[in-house]
Amino acid sequence: MTKPKTIVVKIGSALLANQELLTPRYGFLQRMMEDITHLRSEGWNVIVCSSGSVALGLRIIGETPESAGVSDKQAAAACGMPLLLNAYKQVGHEFGFEIAQVLLTLGDFEDHRRFLNTRNTVHRLLESGIMPIVNENDTITTEEIRVGDNDRLAAKVAQMVGATDFIILTGVDGLYDRNPDDPDAQFVAEVHDVNEYMDATKGKSTLGTGGMATKLQAANMAQEAGVTTWIAQGEVDRPLSRVLDGTGRATKVIPNPEPLSGWDSWIANRLQMAGSIVVSESVAANIANGDRAIRRSDVISADGDFTRGDVLHIYDNKGIERARGLSDFTSEELRVMINNPDTDAEQLLGYRTKGEIIRSNNLVALDTRHLLWDAPAALSEG
C-alpha cells in the first residue's frame, strides 16, 4: 500500500485577516479551501497551521496590533479563535469535509511524550478524513513559554507527521536576495543552504509575529527532517496546487539528502533553549567524528535552569554551537559535579551514576547546513 502524501500548509495572519477591519477574509478562505479539496481528491493529506486568532480578536477587545500587550493578545486570541474556526468550518462544509482544531504549546513539542501523543492525534484525524487545523494556544501562553511564530510551529508539525511537503503562504512570491522593495532584488528560485540568505530577511508584517527570517528558520528545520519547503504567494488562485505542479513561482528549499532520523530530528530542531554547556575543542571535535558521549569531566561551564530530559545546546570554547543532546541531569546536579571535580558523583548526588551528562545515542552533531544558535551571554562571558 502506497504511503499517503502529506502536506503541511502555514497561513499567515495577513492572508486571513483584513488588516484594517480585522475581520476574516472569506474570499481568500474560499480559494484556499477549494484548492485543498482538489488536493484531497488527488490523495493528499492536508494539515493547516493557521495564524489569525489574535488579529481577529483585537477589534472585539478594542485594541490594535500596535497597542496590544501580552494580556491583550491572550484575550484577543480567546475572542478570535471561535471566529477563525467558524470561518474554516463554514467554508469546509461547502466543500463537504470536516475540520478539527489542535491547540498546541511549546511543551507539546519539547516534551517527547507529549510530542508523540500529539502526532498520534493528528494521524487519527487524517485517517478519518478530517483536516487538522493547528494553532498555538495563544490564550494561555506567555512570551517565555510560547513557540513564538507559526512558521516554526508548522515546521515542527511537518517534522512530526513525516510530511513530504511544507508550504508557507505569504504576501510575496518567495525569497529575494535582498529586500524585495529594492529594484535590484533578485528572486531566489532554489535554496540549499539557508545561511546564505539570513542577512537579506529583515522586517515582518504588521499583523504577524515573524518575517522572512522565521520562514527560513522553519525551512531549515524542515529540510533537516527531509521535508521539501516552498515559500509562495497566497493571494492567487490555486495557491497550493500551482506550487506543487510547478505552474506558479515559489522558492523551493531543498531537503537534506541524508535527513536526520525522527529521534535525532526531535533533538536537533529546538524552538527554545532549555540550557547549554561548554566543552573543549577536542571534545567537540570527537563529537563531530562519531560515537562520543559527553562526560562530567568534559564540561567546562553550564547555563540555564534545566531538568533531566531537556535538550542542551553544546558549544566549544570559542562559542560555536557544535551539537545538541538530551541531558541525564538537572542543572543543579550538573553544577554540583562541575564545581566539585575531585569528589565522586555518587557521593555528591546520593545515587550511583556513570557521570555521562549526555549519552552518545542522545547526542546529535550539527552539520554546516544547520542554523546555529548564538551562545547565551552568561556562557560567553564565563
Side-chain angles (χ1 to χ4, degrees), residues 305-363:
D305 183 15
F306 52 88
T307 189
R308 190 175 303 169
D310 280 345
V311 172
L312 304 183
H313 294 238
I314 299 139
Y315 296 85
D316 61 25
N317 48 16
K318 296 178 182 177
I320 299 172
E321 189 182 15
R322 304 293 291 270
R324 292 170 193 167
L326 207 65
S327 176
D328 266 10
F329 298 91
T330 68
S331 51
E332 183 179 1
E333 290 172 332
L334 179 56
R335 289 189 178 97
V336 167
M337 289 191 289
I338 293 173
N339 293 333
N340 300 276
D342 298 325
T343 305
D344 184 72
E346 184 175 350
Q347 184 179 342
L348 290 170
L349 304 179
Y351 61 87
R352 184 173 298 176
T353 172
K354 292 181 179 179
E356 288 189 347
I357 308 305
I358 300 173
R359 303 178 200 181
S360 59
N361 60 338
N362 292 333
L363 185 61

Side-chain angles (χ1 to χ4, degrees), residues 71-99:
S71 61
D72 299 321
K73 292 177 181 178
Q74 289 174 321
C79 296
M81 189 59 72
L83 292 177
L84 179 66
L85 267 293
N86 184 58
Y88 274 114
K89 197 167 188 69
Q90 283 183 349
V91 180
H93 276 176
E94 289 184 38
F95 295 103
F97 66 88
E98 295 288 343
I99 66 161

Side-chain angles (χ1 to χ4, degrees), residues 70 144 177 185 202 204 209 230 233 237 245 285 300 317 339:
V70 173
E144 291 76 21
D177 64 353
K202 309 299 181 185
K204 65 180 183 180
T209 56
W230 309 83
Q233 168 67 260
D237 291 331
D245 65 19
I300 298 172
N317 48 16
N339 293 333

Side-chain angles (χ1 to χ4, degrees), residues 2 12 40 57 82 94 122 172 221 229 254 258 274 299 302 315 349-350:
T2 304
R40 283 163 57 97
E94 289 184 38
V122 171
V172 294
M221 294 168 69
T229 300
I254 306 299
E258 297 180 359
V299 181
Y315 296 85
L349 304 179

Side-chain angles (χ1 to χ4, degrees), residues 133-336:
I133 298 185
V134 180
N135 315 88
E136 182 169 12
N137 195 348
D138 291 308
T139 299
I140 64 168
T141 52
T142 63
E143 293 299 328
E144 291 76 21
I145 63 170
R146 68 193 306 265
V147 173
D149 62 81
N150 279 326
D151 296 316
R152 293 188 306 148
L153 180 148
K156 289 292 285 186
V157 171
Q159 170 210 339
M160 178 174 66
V161 300
T164 47
D165 292 86
F166 170 37
I167 298 181
I168 304 174
L169 293 180
T170 183
V172 294
D173 53 0
L175 174 69
Y176 286 77
D177 64 353
R178 65 197 75 180
N179 191 314
D181 293 334
D182 188 325
D184 295 325
Q186 298 293 313
F187 179 76
V188 180
E190 204 167 85
V191 174
H192 290 268
D193 185 355
V194 300
N195 285 286
E196 297 175 7
Y197 298 98
M198 290 304 294
D199 288 342
T201 59
K202 309 299 181 185
K204 65 180 183 180
S205 71
T206 304
L207 291 179
T209 56
M212 191 58 73
T214 68
K215 290 168 178 54
L216 287 187
Q217 290 167 0
N220 181 247
M221 294 168 69
Q223 71 178 161
E224 292 306 314
V227 182
T228 301
T229 300
W230 309 83
I231 303 172
Q233 168 67 260
E235 293 283 13
V236 292
D237 291 331
R238 302 173 57 248
L240 305 177
S241 297
R242 68 198 298 271
V243 169
L244 296 173
D245 65 19
T247 59
R249 188 152 90 155
T251 296
K252 181 180 182 180
V253 184
I254 306 299
N256 193 321
E258 297 180 359
L260 298 173
S261 67
W263 176 243
D264 285 354
S265 184
W266 178 81
I267 289 175
N269 291 310
R270 311 314 296 160
L271 295 168
Q272 286 192 4
M273 187 185 297
S276 52
I277 59 175
V278 172
V279 298
S280 69
E281 180 64 31
S282 61
V283 170
N286 285 333
I287 293 171
N289 290 335
D291 193 31
R292 171 68 156 85
I294 294 180
R295 303 179 182 89
R296 168 190 180 184
S297 58
D298 297 331
V299 181
I300 298 172
S301 61
D303 181 71
D305 183 15
F306 52 88
T307 189
R308 190 175 303 169
D310 280 345
V311 172
L312 304 183
H313 294 238
I314 299 139
Y315 296 85
D316 61 25
N317 48 16
K318 296 178 182 177
I320 299 172
E321 189 182 15
R322 304 293 291 270
R324 292 170 193 167
L326 207 65
S327 176
D328 266 10
F329 298 91
T330 68
S331 51
E332 183 179 1
E333 290 172 332
L334 179 56
R335 289 189 178 97
V336 167

